[in-house]
Structures are given as C-alpha cells and as structure tokens.
Amino acid sequence: MATESVILVTGGSGLVGEAVKWVIENDKSERYGKKDNEKWIFLSSKDGDLRKEQDVKAIFEKYKPTHVIHLAAMVGGLFKNMKYKLDFLRENMLMNDNILWQSKEYNVKKVVSCLSTCIFPDKTTYPIDETMVHNGPPHESNFGYAHGKRMIDVYNHAYHEQFGCHFTSVIPTNIFGPHDNYELEGSHVLPGLTHKCYLAKKNNTPFVVWGSGKPLRQFIYSRDLAKLFIWTLREYEEIDPIILSVGEKDEVSIKDVADNIVKAMDFQGEYAFDSTKADGQYKKTASNEKLMKYIPDFEFTPFDVAIKESVEWFVENYDTLRK
Ligand code: NDP
C-alpha cells in the first residue's frame, strides 16, 4: 500500500468491524497488523446515516479515504429477513449506492464490500462457488437482502468497466464472535442461541432451540474473518468476489452449535428442539477452494475454541451488549 493510506471502515461498531479493529490493534504480524503508514477510521451510525447521500459525502470530505472496507448493512437472521424484505432491499441498496459513488468521486484506490453466502441461488449444486452468485433466484425467505447484496457485485463490475475503479467484494459464511447482535428475535442463529441458553441457565428454564437442529452451516469466527478482510484489502486483486469460509468438511449442524454453546455456558438444565419452527435452507455449503489457493497456510481458530471465547465475552459483557 502507498504511503499515508487512510482506511475507512463502515460498520466499524458491528460484529465484523469490531473484529477488524481488534486485529489491527492486537495482531503484530506483518500480514495482518497495523502498518506505520496507515490510518484506520472506524465508523458507526453516529458518524452519519449512510442511507443519506449528504452524510456520506460529508464523511468522505472529512476523512478523504484512500481505501474503504464497507461493512455497514441492515443485517438480521431468518425471522427478521422474512418480515422486513423491502427494508432489507432498500436500506442496503441506499448504503451501497452512496458508498460506492463517493468512493468513485474521491478516487478511492480500493473498496472491499461484503456479500454473504445466503444470497446464492436457492436451487443450486453444492458446493457453491463464486461463479454462481447470479445463477438463479435466492431463497424466498431473504430475497430482499439477497438482491440488495447481489447488486454490489454488479456495481463493482460496472464501476470497473466504466471508470476503472478497483472495487471488489467478499462472501463470508455465517459469522460469530464478540460484539454480535444478541437480540432474541432479530439475531442470527448462533448469538440468538447464546442469549437463550444464558437466560435458560439464569432462570432455571428449558433451553429450546427453534427448528429441527438438522440444517448444516459453515461458521467463521469474526477475528479469523477480520484477518481475511485485511488480506483482501492488501493482497487480493480481482474484481470478482471471493468466498471467505472454513472448508466443506468443517460444516456443522445447528445441533452441533447448540451443543457447543451448552458446553461453553456450562448449562445443565433441560434442552430441546422445537420442530414446528422454520428451518430455512437445509444447507448452503460453500467452497473455500479459491481462498485456499491464494492463502493455503491460513489457520482457522477451532470451532469449540472460538465458541468458548465468544460465550465468555458474552457473559462478561452482558450488561452492555446489543440485546
Ligand atoms: P452488525 O449488525 O453487527 O453491524 C452493522 C454495522 O452497520 C454497525 O456498525 C452499524 O452501526 C452500521 N450501520 C447499520 N446501518 C447503518 C446506517 N444506516 N448508517 C451507518 N451505519 C450503519 O453487522 P455485521 O458486522 O454482522 O455485518 C457486517 C457485514 O457482514 C454486513 O455487510 C453483512 O451483510 C455481512 N455479513 C454478515 C454475516 C453475519 O453472520 N453477521 C454473514 C455474512 C455477511 P451502529 O453500530 O451505529 O448501529
């Protein structure tokens, strides 16, 4: 990276943004740690509403970023996605449009934006890979979020072809870690279950997991993902997206997740599955082959260790975290 890089991280107060901050502040390696010529700016919604063009313009005018990691988004689990499809579509489209346009206007050298594996076609072959993003309609449960996110890739190619911009994107699988959103209804499965298990332990009530527990997912620890985001910003040159995920063999069931949470929380009470609740897609196995070709020596934190660290963080920060 050239001298005097100013790296603007949108969504800097969220699950992934806090993890990027943690790695930048704590990792001492050449590959992931902070470099002397870099200034990192972590934004939250208090710095401006990214849905508003004038707020985004003011942010770019203030910081004059040379690089952007664009994480800010309206994010939520299955049940919130089913309920607010237009909000997911519109709010994410507005934020992405404003960030990418101002990045072009301010000659930003590189933007890394964030897609998600849940935007892939519902009817597909497995494992999913980066070439399949636009191959068919997404699952109906989250079509608002999915189409909004898919447009980032369309934008990236259009900006590249018309203006030569170096805008790219990454596709993480399910993310978890400190600073997650632990709301009982709107959250993703892992933080939601962490909170439920905590309350079951505290109130001496049963721990009931929604759905059958059978669906399979790949989870990535937010601090592993943060390292890969930093690698992408510094070293990945393609416009096409890259999947950031653990391997196919590391896919786990929702029951495995719940079992690990029960263990990390040391929950001894009654524990059951409510199969009358929706399961969502049965699986969406993604291939991390492209990533492993680029960075074969990357070491993912073992799932049980990452869950333990996350649950410990949750318990220690219960009073102040998002819930
Ligand atoms: P969080 O919900 O934890 O954080 C969202 C961030 O976006 C917060 O910093 C929030 O600011 C900011 N934000 C939201 N709306 C606005 C707005 N209108 N104006 C300014 N800032 C706003 O999200 P994650 O960290 O989980 O997600 C980061 C990225 O990763 C997203 O693009 C998401 O789509 C993607 N992703 C997430 C997955 C997951 O499992 N969590 C899976 C795959 C992809 P504030 O704190 O002030 O509200």
Side-chain angles (χ1 to χ4, degrees), residues 74-85 88 139-142 145 183-190 192-193 196 208-213 215 217 254 274-281:
M74 180 176 175
V75 179
L78 172 65
F79 298 94
K80 191 170 164 189
N81 262 283
M82 293 196 300
K83 207 166 163 185
Y84 301 106
K85 285 175 181 153
F88 272 99
H139 194 258
E140 55 82 27
S141 62
N142 72 343
Y145 178 75
E183 281 169 26
L184 288 168
E185 291 208 358
S187 65
H188 286 110
V189 60
L190 199 151
L193 290 179
K196 269 190 172 180
V208 181
V209 180
W210 281 13
S212 67
R217 296 289 183 267
I254 300 301
D274 179 357
S275 303
T276 63
K277 296 287 194 300
D279 265 343
Q281 279 167 279

Side-chain angles (χ1 to χ4, degrees), residues 112-242:
V112 180
S113 300
C114 200
L115 314 183
S116 163
T117 44
C118 54
I119 71 166
F120 278 102
D122 180 33
K123 294 194 173 46
T124 185
T125 53
Y126 295 99
I128 299 163
D129 70 39
E130 293 84 351
T131 65
M132 301 173 177
V133 173
H134 305 287
N135 280 1
H139 194 258
E140 55 82 27
S141 62
N142 72 343
F143 77 77
Y145 178 75
H147 282 297
K149 285 280 180 190
R150 284 180 184 194
M151 288 310 289
I152 291 179
D153 179 55
V154 176
Y155 269 137
N156 286 347
H157 282 276
Y159 273 107
H160 182 65
E161 286 183 26
Q162 195 173 333
F163 296 110
C165 297
H166 191 178
F167 297 170
T168 189
S169 62
V170 300
I171 311 180
T173 42
N174 300 267
I175 311 160
F176 70 100
H179 299 276
D180 213 331
N181 174 1
Y182 297 93
E183 281 169 26
L184 288 168
E185 291 208 358
S187 65
H188 286 110
V189 60
L190 199 151
L193 290 179
T194 304
H195 194 175
K196 269 190 172 180
C197 185
Y198 175 84
L199 292 179
K201 184 175 172 181
K202 191 170 149 208
N203 302 329
N204 207 9
T205 51
F207 172 41
V208 181
V209 180
W210 281 13
S212 67
K214 289 181 185 152
L216 299 171
R217 296 289 183 267
Q218 283 152 302
F219 288 91
I220 182 163
Y221 187 34
S222 59
R223 290 174 181 172
D224 293 346
L225 178 65
K227 287 182 180 174
L228 293 172
F229 253 105
I230 294 163
W231 168 81
T232 307
L233 185 75
R234 291 176 178 162
E235 301 184 43
Y236 179 71
E237 294 300 327
E238 295 182 35
I239 303 298
D240 282 332
I242 182 162

Side-chain angles (χ1 to χ4, degrees), residues 306-317:
I307 292 263
K308 195 164 183 299
E309 286 180 16
S310 306
V311 167
E312 279 170 10
W313 185 91
F314 173 87
V315 173
E316 278 165 26
N317 293 279

Side-chain angles (χ1 to χ4, degrees), residues 224-292:
D224 293 346
L225 178 65
K227 287 182 180 174
L228 293 172
F229 253 105
I230 294 163
W231 168 81
T232 307
L233 185 75
R234 291 176 178 162
E235 301 184 43
Y236 179 71
E237 294 300 327
E238 295 182 35
I239 303 298
D240 282 332
I242 182 162
I243 291 174
L244 303 182
S245 173
V246 298
E248 292 162 56
K249 66 169 179 21
D250 297 314
E251 197 166 42
V252 295
S253 70
I254 300 301
K255 181 175 183 309
D256 294 329
V257 172
D259 287 349
N260 270 283
I261 291 172
V262 163
K263 196 167 162 220
M265 197 75 78
D266 192 24
F267 174 71
Q268 314 273 353
E270 192 186 329
Y271 159 40
F273 292 82
D274 179 357
S275 303
T276 63
K277 296 287 194 300
D279 265 343
Q281 279 167 279
Y282 173 63
K283 66 173 184 174
K284 34 191 182 178
T285 320
S287 163
N288 72 350
E289 206 177 304
K290 182 172 178 180
L291 177 68
M292 287 297 112

